[in-house]
Amino acid sequence: MARMNRGAALAALGASIALVVSGCSSSDGGSSDDTTADANNPVTMTLWTNATTGPGAQFFTDTVKSFDEANPGVTIKIQTVQNEDLDGKLQTALNSGDAPDIFLQRGGGKMAAMVEAGQLMDITDSVSDETKAGVGEGSFKAESIDDKVYAMPVSVLPGGFFYSKDLYKDAGITETPTTLDQLNAANTKLKASGVEAIALGGKDAWPAAHWYYWFALRECSEDTLNSTAKSLQFEDDCWTKAGDDLKAFKDTGAFNKGFLTTAAQQGAGSSAGLVANHKAGAELMGAWDPGVIASLTPDEKPLPDLGFYPFISVPGGQGDPKAIMGGVDGYSCSAKAPKKACTDFLNYLASKDVQEAYYKAFNAPPVNKDAQAVVTEDYLKAVIAAFNEAPYVSQWLDTLYGQNVGNALNTAVVNLLADKGSVADIITAVNNASAKG
């Protein structure tokens, strides 16, 4: 089967968005239908989420409970899966025909592959008028292929540096960096003050790969990113320049000691935990990070001095220095899920009250524009401002280019940082994985 066209790499996420394993088969025996659930026609669905602990896990418990109570005959069973394990376990479940009815959707090439395999439900006609008014048409572009919607957007999560204002102040850093030279200078001051400059959870691979993605966003033009999303071949010199940038930055010693064995989000010793406990000045991460950091502070409350600034500019790069990278988290229904019950739940996830609860639980900007009025944190307002000022937004490259290419890219970047591979190996790994795909 021919590869499905992934579409433009830089879906204009910001253009129309006012933002800024156990068995899983459904109780209907695997057939999608429009039957209204009631006491005589009960429906049981399984929901997979990566919110495993804390307020995020409680959000889904509360949301599912309130939905079930308002919809007699519907029962949703939650299964939490650690974020780093989710993609692999989900792919296995989808390929085995035992997929969860509702699950976290990352979009991009990963979603395109699921659509091509007939594993996702087309929910276009089931998105309610109320949902369309609250979320906005542009939000659905990242969850659509050929004008068909395959996931309900829940949150737009642009990335950048989340940092400790107190540690920066103590190190004598008076302005957040906007250039690579300024970032290097800030890192030198942080290390001299006795803390790690930048926390990196290299054990989980994708946080390390994000550094390459960001340098590529600066080095590569918008046209190159778009064309590469279709060819899945790293042919332009900018991909090599991005690797050279990362290798040079790594050699400055900016990352925490032992970053290759540091987890991203699990425990006080993780990269998020290092920021949460004032052991590191900053972390490059998506806008879900504040919620993770909050769960890892000593009192499990938001870090009072948390701040945000966008990724820095790179001299000579072809990309716009204000371009932003980020994911669009959404939820999909599997192709065989009970249609009405499943899509009713997705509409419920996007409703104003539930979106306000989502923001409070995850400390991340809600996608529903009516719910965004409750955002008060300065760092989230800074995230929104950077997002709105971006001339274009790219999805994370491992999402955009699909699982096979994404995994090869991430592994090759980690090998580079571990001095077990070269920049040329990154290019070769991607091109070889694309050829096999």
Side-chain angles (χ1 to χ4, degrees), residues 286-307:
W288 60 83
D289 206 30
V292 178
I293 290 172
S295 72
L296 297 172
T297 59
D299 59 3
E300 297 186 0
K301 294 182 179 179
L303 189 67
D305 65 312
L306 188 64

PDB file of all heavy atoms in Angstrom, residues 286-307:
ATOM      1  N   GLY A 286       7.728  20.422  26.499  1.00  0.00           N
ATOM      2  CA  GLY A 286       6.429  20.905  26.053  1.00  0.00           C
ATOM      3  C   GLY A 286       5.636  21.486  27.203  1.00  0.00           C
ATOM      4  O   GLY A 286       6.009  21.351  28.381  1.00  0.00           O
ATOM      5  N   ALA A 287       4.504  22.094  26.880  1.00  0.00           N
ATOM      6  CA  ALA A 287       3.728  22.843  27.871  1.00  0.00           C
ATOM      7  C   ALA A 287       2.974  21.971  28.865  1.00  0.00           C
ATOM      8  O   ALA A 287       2.255  22.494  29.719  1.00  0.00           O
ATOM      9  CB  ALA A 287       2.751  23.786  27.165  1.00  0.00           C
ATOM     10  N   TRP A 288       3.166  20.653  28.805  1.00  0.00           N
ATOM     11  CA  TRP A 288       2.663  19.788  29.865  1.00  0.00           C
ATOM     12  C   TRP A 288       3.597  19.811  31.077  1.00  0.00           C
ATOM     13  O   TRP A 288       3.244  19.351  32.154  1.00  0.00           O
ATOM     14  CB  TRP A 288       2.539  18.348  29.356  1.00  0.00           C
ATOM     15  CG  TRP A 288       3.842  17.771  28.889  1.00  0.00           C
ATOM     16  CD1 TRP A 288       4.823  17.199  29.667  1.00  0.00           C
ATOM     17  CD2 TRP A 288       4.334  17.742  27.546  1.00  0.00           C
ATOM     18  NE1 TRP A 288       5.893  16.818  28.885  1.00  0.00           N
ATOM     19  CE2 TRP A 288       5.616  17.134  27.583  1.00  0.00           C
ATOM     20  CE3 TRP A 288       3.819  18.152  26.323  1.00  0.00           C
ATOM     21  CZ2 TRP A 288       6.380  16.940  26.435  1.00  0.00           C
ATOM     22  CZ3 TRP A 288       4.588  17.959  25.179  1.00  0.00           C
ATOM     23  CH2 TRP A 288       5.852  17.360  25.247  1.00  0.00           C
ATOM     24  N   ASP A 289       4.807  20.355  30.889  1.00  0.00           N
ATOM     25  CA  ASP A 289       5.840  20.277  31.918  1.00  0.00           C
ATOM     26  C   ASP A 289       5.447  20.906  33.257  1.00  0.00           C
ATOM     27  O   ASP A 289       5.785  20.353  34.309  1.00  0.00           O
ATOM     28  CB  ASP A 289       7.134  20.909  31.410  1.00  0.00           C
ATOM     29  CG  ASP A 289       8.374  20.344  32.081  1.00  0.00           C
ATOM     30  OD1 ASP A 289       8.340  19.169  32.479  1.00  0.00           O
ATOM     31  OD2 ASP A 289       9.379  21.065  32.186  1.00  0.00           O
ATOM     32  N   PRO A 290       4.756  22.051  33.280  1.00  0.00           N
ATOM     33  CA  PRO A 290       4.398  22.622  34.584  1.00  0.00           C
ATOM     34  C   PRO A 290       3.621  21.660  35.474  1.00  0.00           C
ATOM     35  O   PRO A 290       3.848  21.610  36.690  1.00  0.00           O
ATOM     36  CB  PRO A 290       3.543  23.841  34.211  1.00  0.00           C
ATOM     37  CG  PRO A 290       4.079  24.259  32.883  1.00  0.00           C
ATOM     38  CD  PRO A 290       4.395  22.972  32.181  1.00  0.00           C
ATOM     39  N   GLY A 291       2.722  20.896  34.880  1.00  0.00           N
ATOM     40  CA  GLY A 291       1.960  19.936  35.673  1.00  0.00           C
ATOM     41  C   GLY A 291       2.831  18.816  36.210  1.00  0.00           C
ATOM     42  O   GLY A 291       2.661  18.367  37.346  1.00  0.00           O
ATOM     43  N   VAL A 292       3.771  18.345  35.378  1.00  0.00           N
ATOM     44  CA  VAL A 292       4.698  17.299  35.820  1.00  0.00           C
ATOM     45  C   VAL A 292       5.593  17.836  36.930  1.00  0.00           C
ATOM     46  O   VAL A 292       5.799  17.176  37.963  1.00  0.00           O
ATOM     47  CB  VAL A 292       5.543  16.789  34.637  1.00  0.00           C
ATOM     48  CG1 VAL A 292       6.534  15.723  35.117  1.00  0.00           C
ATOM     49  CG2 VAL A 292       4.651  16.226  33.539  1.00  0.00           C
ATOM     50  N   ILE A 293       6.119  19.033  36.724  1.00  0.00           N
ATOM     51  CA  ILE A 293       6.976  19.655  37.736  1.00  0.00           C
ATOM     52  C   ILE A 293       6.221  19.817  39.050  1.00  0.00           C
ATOM     53  O   ILE A 293       6.744  19.521  40.134  1.00  0.00           O
ATOM     54  CB  ILE A 293       7.506  21.013  37.232  1.00  0.00           C
ATOM     55  CG1 ILE A 293       8.518  20.798  36.101  1.00  0.00           C
ATOM     56  CG2 ILE A 293       8.153  21.810  38.356  1.00  0.00           C
ATOM     57  CD1 ILE A 293       8.955  22.073  35.402  1.00  0.00           C
ATOM     58  N   ALA A 294       4.977  20.271  38.973  1.00  0.00           N
ATOM     59  CA  ALA A 294       4.169  20.467  40.187  1.00  0.00           C
ATOM     60  C   ALA A 294       3.994  19.167  40.958  1.00  0.00           C
ATOM     61  O   ALA A 294       3.992  19.162  42.193  1.00  0.00           O
ATOM     62  CB  ALA A 294       2.811  21.056  39.818  1.00  0.00           C
ATOM     63  N   SER A 295       3.857  18.052  40.250  1.00  0.00           N
ATOM     64  CA  SER A 295       3.664  16.765  40.926  1.00  0.00           C
ATOM     65  C   SER A 295       4.926  16.271  41.606  1.00  0.00           C
ATOM     66  O   SER A 295       4.874  15.337  42.415  1.00  0.00           O
ATOM     67  CB  SER A 295       3.179  15.716  39.917  1.00  0.00           C
ATOM     68  OG  SER A 295       4.222  15.328  39.029  1.00  0.00           O
ATOM     69  N   LEU A 296       6.078  16.905  41.306  1.00  0.00           N
ATOM     70  CA  LEU A 296       7.364  16.445  41.832  1.00  0.00           C
ATOM     71  C   LEU A 296       8.010  17.423  42.811  1.00  0.00           C
ATOM     72  O   LEU A 296       9.109  17.179  43.292  1.00  0.00           O
ATOM     73  CB  LEU A 296       8.319  16.164  40.671  1.00  0.00           C
ATOM     74  CG  LEU A 296       7.878  15.043  39.715  1.00  0.00           C
ATOM     75  CD1 LEU A 296       8.794  14.991  38.499  1.00  0.00           C
ATOM     76  CD2 LEU A 296       7.856  13.700  40.430  1.00  0.00           C
ATOM     77  N   THR A 297       7.333  18.536  43.126  1.00  0.00           N
ATOM     78  CA  THR A 297       7.839  19.437  44.164  1.00  0.00           C
ATOM     79  C   THR A 297       7.616  18.778  45.525  1.00  0.00           C
ATOM     80  O   THR A 297       6.788  17.878  45.655  1.00  0.00           O
ATOM     81  CB  THR A 297       7.123  20.794  44.118  1.00  0.00           C
ATOM     82  OG1 THR A 297       5.714  20.574  44.306  1.00  0.00           O
ATOM     83  CG2 THR A 297       7.363  21.507  42.798  1.00  0.00           C
ATOM     84  N   PRO A 298       8.344  19.213  46.566  1.00  0.00           N
ATOM     85  CA  PRO A 298       8.188  18.589  47.884  1.00  0.00           C
ATOM     86  C   PRO A 298       6.750  18.592  48.401  1.00  0.00           C
ATOM     87  O   PRO A 298       6.315  17.630  49.050  1.00  0.00           O
ATOM     88  CB  PRO A 298       9.107  19.433  48.774  1.00  0.00           C
ATOM     89  CG  PRO A 298      10.171  19.917  47.843  1.00  0.00           C
ATOM     90  CD  PRO A 298       9.457  20.187  46.540  1.00  0.00           C
ATOM     91  N   ASP A 299       5.990  19.650  48.114  1.00  0.00           N
ATOM     92  CA  ASP A 299       4.600  19.712  48.589  1.00  0.00           C
ATOM     93  C   ASP A 299       3.596  19.347  47.499  1.00  0.00           C
ATOM     94  O   ASP A 299       2.390  19.464  47.694  1.00  0.00           O
ATOM     95  CB  ASP A 299       4.275  21.096  49.141  1.00  0.00           C
ATOM     96  CG  ASP A 299       4.471  22.211  48.116  1.00  0.00           C
ATOM     97  OD1 ASP A 299       4.805  21.905  46.942  1.00  0.00           O
ATOM     98  OD2 ASP A 299       4.295  23.388  48.478  1.00  0.00           O
ATOM     99  N   GLU A 300       4.095  18.891  46.360  1.00  0.00           N
ATOM    100  CA  GLU A 300       3.258  18.495  45.227  1.00  0.00           C
ATOM    101  C   GLU A 300       2.326  19.618  44.777  1.00  0.00           C
ATOM    102  O   GLU A 300       1.195  19.382  44.359  1.00  0.00           O
ATOM    103  CB  GLU A 300       2.469  17.216  45.549  1.00  0.00           C
ATOM    104  CG  GLU A 300       3.350  16.009  45.799  1.00  0.00           C
ATOM    105  CD  GLU A 300       2.574  14.726  45.973  1.00  0.00           C
ATOM    106  OE1 GLU A 300       1.327  14.775  45.903  1.00  0.00           O
ATOM    107  OE2 GLU A 300       3.205  13.680  46.182  1.00  0.00           O
ATOM    108  N   LYS A 301       2.844  20.824  44.848  1.00  0.00           N
ATOM    109  CA  LYS A 301       2.103  21.992  44.375  1.00  0.00           C
ATOM    110  C   LYS A 301       2.926  22.697  43.303  1.00  0.00           C
ATOM    111  O   LYS A 301       4.136  22.479  43.196  1.00  0.00           O
ATOM    112  CB  LYS A 301       1.814  22.939  45.540  1.00  0.00           C
ATOM    113  CG  LYS A 301       0.859  22.359  46.581  1.00  0.00           C
ATOM    114  CD  LYS A 301       0.583  23.374  47.693  1.00  0.00           C
ATOM    115  CE  LYS A 301      -0.379  22.797  48.720  1.00  0.00           C
ATOM    116  NZ  LYS A 301      -0.653  23.761  49.821  1.00  0.00           N
ATOM    117  N   PRO A 302       2.302  23.559  42.485  1.00  0.00           N
ATOM    118  CA  PRO A 302       3.051  24.239  41.420  1.00  0.00           C
ATOM    119  C   PRO A 302       4.282  24.961  41.944  1.00  0.00           C
ATOM    120  O   PRO A 302       4.264  25.540  43.033  1.00  0.00           O
ATOM    121  CB  PRO A 302       2.022  25.230  40.857  1.00  0.00           C
ATOM    122  CG  PRO A 302       0.707  24.579  41.100  1.00  0.00           C
ATOM    123  CD  PRO A 302       0.857  23.881  42.430  1.00  0.00           C
ATOM    124  N   LEU A 303       5.362  24.919  41.173  1.00  0.00           N
ATOM    125  CA  LEU A 303       6.606  25.595  41.554  1.00  0.00           C
ATOM    126  C   LEU A 303       6.374  27.102  41.523  1.00  0.00           C
ATOM    127  O   LEU A 303       6.070  27.669  40.474  1.00  0.00           O
ATOM    128  CB  LEU A 303       7.721  25.201  40.578  1.00  0.00           C
ATOM    129  CG  LEU A 303       9.141  25.633  40.947  1.00  0.00           C
ATOM    130  CD1 LEU A 303       9.611  24.889  42.187  1.00  0.00           C
ATOM    131  CD2 LEU A 303      10.096  25.364  39.777  1.00  0.00           C
ATOM    132  N   PRO A 304       6.502  27.779  42.666  1.00  0.00           N
ATOM    133  CA  PRO A 304       6.137  29.208  42.734  1.00  0.00           C
ATOM    134  C   PRO A 304       6.936  30.107  41.803  1.00  0.00           C
ATOM    135  O   PRO A 304       6.422  31.123  41.321  1.00  0.00           O
ATOM    136  CB  PRO A 304       6.396  29.570  44.202  1.00  0.00           C
ATOM    137  CG  PRO A 304       6.360  28.277  44.945  1.00  0.00           C
ATOM    138  CD  PRO A 304       6.908  27.260  43.982  1.00  0.00           C
ATOM    139  N   ASP A 305       8.199  29.746  41.553  1.00  0.00           N
ATOM    140  CA  ASP A 305       9.061  30.630  40.754  1.00  0.00           C
ATOM    141  C   ASP A 305       9.240  30.147  39.320  1.00  0.00           C
ATOM    142  O   ASP A 305      10.175  30.554  38.635  1.00  0.00           O
ATOM    143  CB  ASP A 305      10.431  30.781  41.435  1.00  0.00           C
ATOM    144  CG  ASP A 305      11.202  29.470  41.479  1.00  0.00           C
ATOM    145  OD1 ASP A 305      10.604  28.454  41.884  1.00  0.00           O
ATOM    146  OD2 ASP A 305      12.396  29.455  41.128  1.00  0.00           O
ATOM    147  N   LEU A 306       8.323  29.294  38.842  1.00  0.00           N
ATOM    148  CA  LEU A 306       8.461  28.750  37.493  1.00  0.00           C
ATOM    149  C   LEU A 306       8.238  29.837  36.440  1.00  0.00           C
ATOM    150  O   LEU A 306       7.318  30.649  36.540  1.00  0.00           O
ATOM    151  CB  LEU A 306       7.459  27.619  37.274  1.00  0.00           C
ATOM    152  CG  LEU A 306       7.604  26.829  35.966  1.00  0.00           C
ATOM    153  CD1 LEU A 306       8.937  26.084  35.929  1.00  0.00           C
ATOM    154  CD2 LEU A 306       6.441  25.844  35.801  1.00  0.00           C
ATOM    155  N   GLY A 307       9.099  29.847  35.430  1.00  0.00           N
ATOM    156  CA  GLY A 307       8.962  30.772  34.306  1.00  0.00           C
ATOM    157  C   GLY A 307       9.117  30.048  32.987  1.00  0.00           C
ATOM    158  O   GLY A 307       9.417  28.849  32.946  1.00  0.00           O
TER     159      GLY A 307
END
